[in-house]
Amino acid sequence: MKPQSQLLKVNKNEYLAQQKSKLEDALEMGLTKDEYYLICKKINKTPNITELGIFSAMFSEHCSYKSSKKWLRTLPTEASHVIQGPGENAGVIDIGENLAAVFKIESHNHPSFIEPYQGSATGVGGILRDVFTMGARPIALMNALRFGAPDKPLTKHLVSGVVKGIGGYGNCIGIPTVGGETNFDKSYDGNILVNAMAVGLAKKDRIFYSAATDAGTPVIYVGAKTGRDGIHGATMASAEFTENSAEKRPTVQVGDPFTGKLLLEACLELMNTDAILSIQDMGAAGLTSSSVEMASKGSLGMKLNLDLVPTREDKMSSYEIMLSESQERMLIILKPGSEEKAKLIFDKWDLDFAIIGEVTNTGRLILTKDDFEACNLPLEPLVKDAPEYNKPYEIKINQKVYKPSNLKTNLTIMDILIIMFNNPNIASKKWIWEQYDSSVMGDTIFANGDSDASIVKIHGTEKKETYGKGLAITTDCTPRYVKSNPIIGGMQAVCEAARNIASSGAKPLAITNNLNFGNPDKKNIMGEIVGSLKGISEAASFFCTPIVSGNVSLYNETNGKSILPTPVIGMVGAIDEVENSLEISAKLDDVLIVLGQSHNFETGWVGCSMYQEIINKKYDGAPPPINLEDEKKVIEILLKLNEQKLLTAAHDISDGGLLTTVCEMLFKYNLGLDINLPNNLINCDNHDPLLQSWCFGEDQARIIIATRDIKKIQLILKESNVDFFVLGQTNSSSNLKLKNIATISINILKDINKKTIPSMMGDKQQG
């Protein structure tokens, strides 16, 4: 290799000064010193500012997964029903009848903290583009949100802005937001999480991919014009926050859902022709990632004339054009001769259409601007030679087992339930989801807490004897479990998602995940990443629910304080007849039965539980154990019972334990229940910790079902060797009675449940 001074044709002092300046630029862009020198070595020159910016984006955690891809490779990604796994814009699975479900979840955490409305809105817009880029029409949106302590004014500001942003984009573009989860913990005070999930439908033989295919084919820019918003957004998303993070507002993108809707319809119309060879969303790192990924996946090259890129601001540099993350843009490679046909479609939808370059066979990315060469880089160092780190890790596991006797309290069961439903993590999220349009498109069956998973009907699958197929969608994670034991916590997130899908009446099929963690340079944080992936992998393999897409979001910490580890599981399932979908609400005279729990009760698991937080004012101890065989047995028997139309409702037992779950099943119709107790608890008093552990323990692999045919169900459960416990039959009393121990008013708890979050948000009219 020639010395750099020769290559640059400058003297040694000038060269050293240049190198120092470029190194400073590289460090400012988020690259390390070693990464900068690796770049210089691989491209055999000192990169100019545009080339350096391109490398910094492609080497960012957000684009390269350099700290996690070693472990991501260990996840199960294949199954007979998987059409496309990780590596494309979204995952694709076969759901029968020549249909495919296309879905992905992705984070917009840092931007949403800095600018909550635009951060969350553009998160929704971005995930929708990932789905329709594959040729699918989006049919549903979900989200997984985490905010800081609920009593902080900043939390209220962020909740308000994020919820408005999600609703603002989803409602305007006309895609229903059908569910999700929202939780609060002080660990998110300086770094909230906004994970957006989208699901779409496509013909399984009409899936579109991003890899460039033929040299000489035209590269087309479509959509909105390029501005200076979002420059280096991918780099910002790969760094910790500090007290100066508010200064990063210019890196937050600005979304326009109306342009997004036009782009959606224009792309789907073009996809109905034979014009498209490949297509890629301009997401993180904008034109940089889209051009590099399309060319590199096809083992080709690309030459672009940046003077032809439509811009909305004057005198944009090549660096700004390549790094801009302006929204609602796509890069398309067309069959030669299709340009005019495609242009007519985008003109009709009032969108920019520009031929900005061509695919080449050079293996290089070449950019020109103002008749000068702005960039000339080999693609291989940008992608295949991107860093991959094997960072040291330590998986810390809390093995402390809490017995109920460790948690003696003077609180009654009613006292505890009041505290439970006053907690925004348990209380109704109606104040949040009523700001989302969940019924637009007219195919939503259950949404936003009506069922454990949201159900969307697949339009056009109706038959004479049925209303047609449906997709079930859920997002789940219990971060306190992951913190206590990353492996068990990762497994539990998959198990709870599968239980929720099954409790809605659907069969679990596949996963998209959003791995939210702190700084991977810390051994304990890297241990959380590795441990949770081990747990997710084991559970997903066991249930045959492969991970087909996902996102990794690291450096979620502020001034060195990390969030709780939050590997969110987005799961999709299918139900053949949507009329068999199950809601959580029991009806009058239903019999409630716990699946997965026998009459031979010994003790409930109180460590790491919501109950323990109420008693101890903190979480501690090991999370509840996971038995995958038990989880699968409960799911399979529930689906079997539902196929025989023996169930009227189902609700899985999770946060808050059994009694909280029962209350939620009684709220809608103001029902009561005279609840049976295990024999060893009949003579307990209201304060007995053993009784309270039965009421509020968070033992896993349990689902409460409601039925009108108790005899037939008991027979099937006994034949199947499934543990069960008959809780009792609902009545119209609006009281939950535990023998002579306690009488609990469902109406009082329902009122508290409804008012908690409106009261937190200062909404007096609602509260």
Side-chain angles (χ1 to χ4, degrees):
M1 187 175 76
K2 294 180 181 179
Q4 292 283 355
S5 54
Q6 266 189 302
L7 289 168
L8 295 169
K9 297 181 180 179
V10 295
N11 66 43
K12 184 176 180 180
N13 290 336
E14 288 175 328
Y15 166 68
L16 292 174
Q18 274 191 359
Q19 282 287 66
K20 182 179 179 182
S21 175
K22 283 288 166 56
L23 176 58
E24 290 172 354
D25 289 338
L27 297 174
E28 181 69 24
M29 293 178 189
L31 293 164
T32 67
K33 184 177 180 180
D34 288 343
E35 287 170 350
Y36 172 71
Y37 287 125
L38 172 68
I39 291 165
C40 293
K41 180 179 178 181
K42 289 290 182 180
I43 66 174
N44 198 30
K45 66 177 182 178
T46 300
N48 63 37
I49 194 68
T50 300
E51 294 168 335
L52 193 58
I54 288 169
F55 266 106
S56 72
M58 295 305 299
F59 278 20
S60 69
E61 289 283 359
H62 196 79
C63 292
S64 73
Y65 298 140
K66 57 191 175 186
S67 296
S68 58
K69 58 187 172 184
K70 167 184 167 64
W71 300 101
L72 294 174
R73 292 194 192 99
T74 66
L75 292 171
T77 61
E78 298 179 350
S80 59
H81 58 287
V82 173
I83 296 172
Q84 175 63 52
E88 269 293 342
N89 287 288
V92 187
I93 60 171
D94 187 343
I95 56 172
E97 300 188 32
N98 195 36
L99 291 171
V102 180
F103 58 97
K104 188 182 182 183
I105 190 169
E106 194 156 275
S107 62
H108 234 220
N109 303 335
H110 285 45
S112 297
F113 183 83
I114 294 169
E115 179 48 65
Y117 184 94
Q118 290 295 348
S120 61
T122 51
V124 172
I127 200 65
L128 285 171
R129 290 195 302 279
D130 282 339
V131 166
F132 73 74
T133 301
M134 302 293 294
R137 178 171 289 279
I139 62 167
L141 287 161
M142 298 278 284
N143 52 67
L145 312 177
R146 297 295 190 284
F147 297 101
D151 57 347
K152 291 199 170 184
L154 179 59
T155 297
K156 298 170 189 177
H157 163 72
L158 293 169
V159 170
S160 178
V162 165
V163 170
K164 286 179 181 176
I166 291 171
Y169 205 102
N171 297 354
C172 291
I173 201 170
I175 311 297
T177 301
V178 296
E181 55 174 356
T182 303
N183 291 105
F184 300 84
D185 185 89
K186 63 182 180 181
S187 73
Y188 305 104
D189 279 347
N191 200 125
I192 64 174
L193 302 183
V194 175
N195 297 173
M197 179 177 173
V199 182
L201 286 173
K203 297 290 185 182
K204 73 175 187 180
D205 56 355
R206 293 291 292 168
I207 306 299
F208 289 81
Y209 299 96
S210 59
T213 53
D214 297 303
T217 50
V219 177
I220 315 298
Y221 172 114
V222 299
K225 287 180 168 59
T226 296
R228 290 189 170 97
D229 53 320
I231 292 174
H232 266 302
T235 306
M236 178 195 70
S238 307
E240 292 180 36
F241 273 155
T242 69
E243 61 274 5
N244 298 320
S245 291
E247 296 172 3
K248 296 181 179 179
R249 285 183 189 274
T251 63
V252 177
Q253 310 92 322
V254 178
D256 178 359
F258 300 106
T259 302
K261 172 65 171 173
L262 299 177
L263 184 61
L264 162 64
E265 298 299 341
C267 287
L268 292 181
E269 183 174 338
L270 183 61
M271 287 167 173
N272 283 328
T273 73
D274 63 350
I276 296 177
L277 292 175
S278 51
I279 181 169
Q280 172 71 41
D281 164 41
M282 288 193 217
L287 189 52
T288 286
S289 62
S290 55
S291 58
V292 169
E293 288 174 12
M294 294 181 88
S296 63
K297 284 179 183 178
S299 299
L300 293 163
M302 194 172 286
K303 184 174 183 179
L304 303 179
N305 182 349
L306 300 186
D307 292 319
L308 301 177
V309 173
T311 59
R312 65 169 182 261
E313 299 182 48
D314 293 333
K315 297 181 180 178
M316 288 187 69
S317 67
S318 57
Y319 173 92
E320 291 172 325
I321 292 171
M322 291 302 293
L323 274 299
S324 168
E325 292 186 10
S326 294
Q327 298 291 286
E328 291 87 39
R329 301 179 301 157
M330 291 279 188
L331 203 62
I332 302 175
I333 298 173
L334 291 178
K335 289 182 179 178
S338 301
E339 296 90 334
E340 190 57 37
K341 176 169 59 176
K343 186 176 187 305
L344 286 172
I345 291 173
F346 283 90
D347 285 348
K348 182 182 82 172
W349 291 101
D350 198 25
L351 293 166
D352 276 292
F353 177 99
I355 302 170
I356 63 170
E358 66 175 2
V359 177
T360 69
N361 59 9
T362 63
R364 304 183 74 85
L365 178 68
I366 299 173
L367 308 175
T368 60
K369 179 79 168 66
D370 300 324
D371 295 324
F372 288 95
E373 188 176 83
C375 166
N376 190 330
L377 291 174
L379 286 167
E380 199 163 272
L382 284 163
V383 183
K384 292 182 181 178
D385 293 336
E388 178 177 332
Y389 296 128
N390 184 16
K391 295 187 174 180
Y393 66 91
E394 179 182 4
I395 302 175
K396 293 186 176 181
I397 295 175
N398 190 330
Q399 297 179 321
K400 188 188 300 181
V401 176
Y402 274 90
K403 297 179 180 179
S405 56
N406 298 136
L407 299 172
K408 290 183 178 178
T409 176
N410 292 323
L411 295 172
T412 67
I413 289 171
M414 182 64 173
D415 292 335
I416 293 167
L417 282 168
I418 288 172
I419 297 171
M420 285 276 189
F421 288 109
N422 262 310
N423 187 318
N425 289 325
I426 296 287
S428 168
K429 308 303 188 294
K430 182 180 179 182
W431 183 93
I432 293 171
W433 56 251
E434 70 182 356
Q435 298 184 52
Y436 308 147
D437 188 339
S438 61
S439 60
V440 64
M441 296 177 69
D443 292 323
T444 305
I445 305 298
F446 287 128
N448 298 310
D450 293 331
S451 177
D452 276 348
S454 299
I455 304 282
V456 179
K457 181 181 174 300
I458 300 176
H459 194 69
T461 61
E462 303 87 348
K463 294 182 176 64
K464 188 175 181 181
E465 67 280 6
T466 174
Y467 291 120
K469 296 169 69 78
L471 288 181
I473 316 160
T474 188
T475 55
D476 290 287
C477 184
T478 309
R480 64 181 185 276
Y481 292 172
V482 186
K483 182 68 176 176
S484 178
N485 184 327
I487 298 172
I488 294 296
M491 291 174 65
Q492 190 273 341
V494 173
C495 291
E496 185 174 353
R499 285 199 307 270
N500 282 332
I501 294 288
S503 295
S504 73
K507 179 184 178 181
L509 289 177
I511 291 169
T512 180
N513 58 20
N514 207 138
L515 309 174
N516 306 275
F517 294 93
N519 186 343
D521 296 323
K522 299 176 180 178
K523 288 176 69 174
N524 64 308
I525 301 296
M526 197 64 215
E528 292 170 355
I529 297 168
V530 174
S532 66
L533 285 172
K534 286 177 180 289
I536 289 169
S537 181
E538 184 176 350
S541 296
F542 190 83
F543 289 120
C544 194
T545 52
I547 291 84
V548 297
S549 60
N551 173 246
V552 179
S553 176
L554 305 181
Y555 297 97
N556 288 291
E557 51 184 77
T558 299
N559 295 328
K561 292 184 178 180
S562 174
I563 61 164
L564 284 174
T566 313
V568 172
I569 298 297
M571 187 176 283
V572 170
I575 184 168
D576 288 334
E577 300 176 5
V578 292
E579 55 267 39
N580 287 346
S581 301
L582 294 169
E583 61 177 323
I584 69 169
S585 298
K587 285 75 176 178
L588 184 63
D589 297 327
D590 279 351
V591 176
L592 302 189
I593 303 170
V594 183
L595 299 179
Q597 178 175 310
S598 74
H599 287 250
N600 301 317
F601 172 77
E602 294 181 2
T603 181
W605 193 275
V606 295
C608 217
S609 67
M610 298 292 291
Y611 170 75
Q612 186 199 32
E613 184 198 26
I614 288 168
I615 307 304
N616 276 8
K617 308 301 180 189
K618 66 176 182 179
Y619 302 120
D620 193 19
I626 297 292
N627 184 311
L628 294 176
E629 291 284 357
D630 289 346
E631 295 279 2
K632 191 173 185 179
K633 187 185 292 187
V634 166
I635 286 171
E636 288 181 344
I637 196 65
L638 184 148
L639 293 176
K640 179 180 178 179
L641 295 172
N642 193 48
E643 284 172 6
Q644 298 183 37
K645 298 180 170 54
L646 295 172
L647 305 181
T648 59
H651 195 9
D652 98 300
I653 298 174
S654 54
D655 284 351
L658 184 150
L659 213 58
T660 306
T661 305
V662 169
C663 290
E664 290 172 342
M665 296 183 76
L666 301 177
F667 281 159
K668 184 175 180 178
Y669 299 111
N670 302 313
L671 299 177
L673 182 72
D674 294 344
I675 198 165
N676 295 321
L677 294 174
N679 291 334
N680 65 330
L681 298 180
I682 290 174
N683 296 318
C684 291
D685 65 34
N686 213 331
H687 306 280
D688 192 299
L690 190 62
L691 172 63
Q692 292 188 2
S693 79
W694 183 81
C695 292
F696 303 111
E698 294 181 7
D699 308 73
Q700 299 294 295
R702 297 183 299 161
I703 300 171
I704 300 178
I705 58 173
T707 183
R708 298 291 175 86
D709 199 338
I710 178 65
K711 290 184 179 179
K712 190 168 185 179
I713 280 190
Q714 283 181 311
L715 181 63
I716 294 171
L717 293 176
K718 287 175 182 176
E719 289 176 348
S720 303
N721 195 29
V722 174
D723 288 338
F724 68 95
F725 183 96
V726 179
L727 289 170
Q729 188 171 27
T730 62
N731 56 55
S732 58
S733 70
S734 298
N735 287 318
L736 184 61
K737 293 183 179 180
L738 280 71
K739 299 296 183 182
N740 60 347
I741 299 170
T743 298
I744 294 155
S745 170
I746 290 298
N747 285 330
I748 289 175
L749 295 177
K750 180 180 178 180
D751 191 55
I752 294 169
N753 180 58
K754 181 177 68 174
K755 291 180 176 179
T756 294
I757 289 186
S759 178
M760 180 193 95
M761 296 301 296
D763 191 334
K764 295 179 181 178
Q765 185 177 359
Q766 292 275 342

